[in-house]
């Protein structure tokens, strides 16, 4: 039974990421600006789960004194979209999965019980990115050390409407949307099999949202599983293979 200590409201990358643990091959840059398609758009077909394979992420009876129980099975490359009013427990669920808040029940990654991981090792594989990300250096660059992480940042920043020169910026001088996009890149630098995204485009304009969604689709196509909290039904429809709404601190099909 997992009993994690209460944690500050920061993302998992802030708690556990070390420079040596970052690294990922450099994706190709987009060659033209992106625009949201105003016509109805459906996500790619939900990945087929092999009968002899466990789900990428599995929850069974996950609960705390504040929410649950939650039962969920998500295949590799699948996206679960979670909606619901503010304060209904959406962020709490993501934090419980990441083992950042006290919880009980069973959580597994590719069939491997969460109890067999150390907490830092689990959070490097099941990465939580908060709606308001945490930072532990005054400037951006130290969060992306020289090497693969810095190369990834330089490659992805233009794709997300950012300038590589912003790596030298003071974190406090960045907008909320800029911090959100940089935090997403920071999470992707860990190359996690599961991403837990808490309103990753909540502060973004239409063009920036389209850029983020394109990148997330690419990651899903490569096998990354995503749980995304969103207040946008349109975004849920574009990205989600499974759709839920938080009601009375429990998930119900949307």
């Amino acid at each position: 039974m997992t009993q994690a200590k209460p944690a500050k409201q920061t993302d998992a990358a802030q708690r556990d990421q070390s420079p040596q643990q970052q690294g990922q091959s450099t994706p190709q840059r987009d060659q033209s600006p992106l625009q949201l398609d105003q016509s109805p758009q459906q996500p790619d077909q939900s990945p087929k789960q092999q009968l002899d394979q466990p789900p990428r992420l599995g929850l069974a009876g996950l609960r705390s004194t504040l929410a649950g129980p939650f039962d969920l099975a998500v295949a590799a490359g699948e996206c679960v979209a979670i909606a619901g009013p503010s304060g209904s427990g959406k962020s709490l669920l993501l934090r419980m999965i990441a083992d950042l808040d006290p919880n009980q029940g069973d959580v597994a990654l590719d069939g491997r019980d969460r109890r067999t991981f150390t907490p830092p090792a689990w959070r490097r594989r099941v990465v939580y990115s908060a709606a308001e990300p945490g930072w532990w250096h005054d400037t951006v660059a130290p969060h992306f050390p020289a090497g693969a992480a810095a190369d990834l940042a330089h490659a992805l920043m233009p794709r997300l409407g950012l300038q590589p020169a912003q790596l030298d910026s003071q974190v406090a001088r960045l907008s909320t949307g800029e911090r959100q996009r940089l935090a997403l890149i920071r999470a992707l630098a860990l190359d996690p099999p599961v991403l837990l995204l808490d309103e990753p485009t909540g502060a973004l304009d239409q063009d920036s949202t389209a850029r983020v969604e394109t990148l997330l689709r690419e990651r899903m196509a490569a096998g990354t599983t995503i749980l995304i909290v969103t207040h946008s039904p349109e975004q849920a429809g574009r990205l989600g293979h499974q759709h839920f709404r938080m009601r009375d601190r429990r998930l119900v099909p949307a």
Side-chain angles (χ1 to χ4, degrees):
M1 181 177 297
T2 303
Q3 288 288 343
K5 296 180 179 180
K8 295 180 180 180
Q9 297 297 315
T10 58
D11 57 4
Q14 177 182 2
R15 291 169 53 95
D16 304 307
Q17 175 180 345
S18 66
Q20 294 77 14
Q21 291 158 339
Q22 300 187 51
Q24 182 171 315
S25 59
T26 303
Q28 297 295 316
R29 302 186 186 189
D30 282 350
Q31 300 300 318
S32 61
L34 299 171
Q35 296 293 332
L36 280 174
D37 186 351
Q38 296 302 316
S39 61
Q41 183 177 1
Q42 297 297 323
D44 293 336
Q45 185 176 1
S46 182
K48 299 297 184 181
Q49 184 70 43
Q50 298 296 325
L51 294 178
D52 58 345
Q53 292 182 349
R56 167 58 50 85
L57 180 69
L59 314 179
L62 180 66
R63 63 197 183 279
S64 74
T65 58
L66 300 175
F70 300 106
D71 299 284
L72 192 64
V74 194
E78 194 172 26
C79 177
V80 174
I82 303 171
S86 299
S88 61
K90 304 181 301 299
S91 300
L92 178 59
L93 169 60
L94 299 190
R95 292 180 58 82
M96 288 167 61
I97 294 172
D99 209 13
L100 289 166
D101 282 356
N103 66 91
Q104 298 176 314
D106 298 316
V107 184
L109 177 67
D110 292 322
R112 180 178 170 184
D113 195 303
R114 185 177 64 182
R115 300 176 185 88
T116 66
F117 294 87
T118 65
W122 175 260
R123 295 178 193 124
R124 286 191 297 271
R125 291 164 175 81
V126 180
V127 174
Y128 170 63
S129 188
E132 179 54 55
W135 303 86
W136 56 96
H137 297 288
D138 291 336
T139 58
V140 175
H143 300 88
F144 301 94
D151 291 344
L152 181 70
H154 280 90
L156 291 186
M157 288 178 72
R159 293 194 59 190
L160 297 183
L162 301 167
Q163 298 299 319
Q166 289 176 290
L167 287 172
D168 297 322
S169 299
Q170 294 284 322
V171 172
R173 296 181 66 86
L174 298 173
S175 70
T176 301
E178 288 168 338
R179 291 194 299 270
Q180 282 187 322
R181 283 171 282 172
L182 284 165
L184 176 61
I185 296 172
R186 186 176 63 185
L188 292 174
L190 294 171
D191 195 20
V194 177
L195 277 172
L196 309 174
L197 303 179
D198 197 348
E199 298 184 54
T201 62
L204 302 186
D205 60 25
Q206 187 180 68
D207 179 70
S208 296
T209 295
R211 292 171 180 267
V212 169
E213 290 182 3
T214 295
L215 181 58
L216 294 181
R217 288 192 191 94
E218 291 176 4
R219 292 303 171 128
M220 286 189 285
T224 302
T225 292
I226 296 175
L227 273 67
I228 183 170
V229 167
T230 178
H231 287 290
S232 168
E234 294 79 15
Q235 182 173 71
R238 289 190 296 265
L239 294 177
H241 300 97
Q242 299 187 52
H243 300 84
F244 293 93
R245 186 170 182 83
M246 193 69 73
R247 182 179 301 160
D248 297 328
R249 299 280 171 147
R250 300 187 67 172
L251 287 179
V252 296

